[in-house]
Amino acid sequence: MEKRRALFLDRDGVINHDSGYTHKIEDFHFIDGIFDLCRAAQQAGYLIIVVTNQAGIGRGYYTEEDFRVLTTWMVGRFAEEGVTITEVLYCPFHPEHGVGEYKRDSFNRKPQPGMILTAAVSHGLDVESSIMIGDSETDMQAALSAGVKKRYLLIDHSSPNFSASCTATLLIDDFTKAVAGF
């Protein structure tokens, strides 16, 4: 059986504007072009898989149930736009700022590759021919460690923290260049 490819997406900063620990529907604003990007990926045969650190859970800012409610709504919005989100994987742990059971390191917390590798096994993915789009170096490091060859860093030139990633294979400031990679 031929292995499938995936478009791995970080959530905050790629799917939605990162307003800081986004966990309410009313604070969730999609980034322009995300639905077109995902439709193009789907038409090219990619599964759409979200891999997101959710330290806000670990820090006690919101609950896993809050995350599930928002995720169900988000997946529904993608479906309304003709896009199937195959899976949403998340890591609620934080090694320094986690509270209680959430204060620990995890192989699933980016920059570790755990979420990508889990998805690869669960969905029979060819990780090498998959694509990762993230907005941070930790996204790129997780993809590199998992063996993803195409790693696209979504950059915002107005951001004071802008710096070129040493592990991204392409810097993009919108999704147009990413679609060309399918």
Side-chain angles (χ1 to χ4, degrees), residues 16-144:
N16 60 287
H17 292 278
D18 189 354
S19 59
Y21 304 106
T22 304
H23 63 282
K24 294 179 182 175
I25 293 169
E26 58 268 23
D27 298 330
F28 196 98
H29 305 287
F30 290 97
I31 290 184
D32 289 343
I34 190 65
F35 297 123
D36 292 334
L37 169 78
C38 292
R39 277 191 293 269
Q42 208 168 254
Q43 289 168 355
Y46 288 81
L47 300 179
I48 312 297
I49 298 177
V50 178
V51 289
T52 178
N53 286 347
Q54 289 295 311
I57 296 168
R59 291 171 180 251
Y61 299 161
Y62 51 95
T63 66
E64 288 191 71
E65 181 59 23
D66 294 332
F67 176 78
R68 279 191 279 280
V69 167
L70 179 59
T71 298
T72 299
W73 173 83
M74 179 192 79
V75 169
R77 282 288 297 118
F78 272 99
E80 290 170 12
E81 294 288 336
V83 174
T84 300
I85 300 292
T86 301
E87 187 171 14
V88 176
L89 293 111
Y90 71 99
C91 181
F93 304 108
H94 195 285
E96 292 105 36
H97 303 293
V99 176
E101 66 180 306
Y102 293 109
K103 185 176 183 172
R104 67 178 180 89
D105 204 0
S106 171
F107 189 63
N108 288 325
R109 181 173 169 75
K110 294 178 288 180
Q112 298 298 319
M115 288 186 281
I116 295 170
L117 296 174
T118 296
V121 171
S122 297
H123 301 287
L125 300 176
D126 177 356
V127 176
E128 280 190 15
S129 65
S130 294
I131 297 172
M132 173 72 191
I133 300 179
D135 69 329
S136 72
E137 179 61 19
T138 58
D139 296 326
M140 299 300 101
Q141 291 170 347
L144 178 65

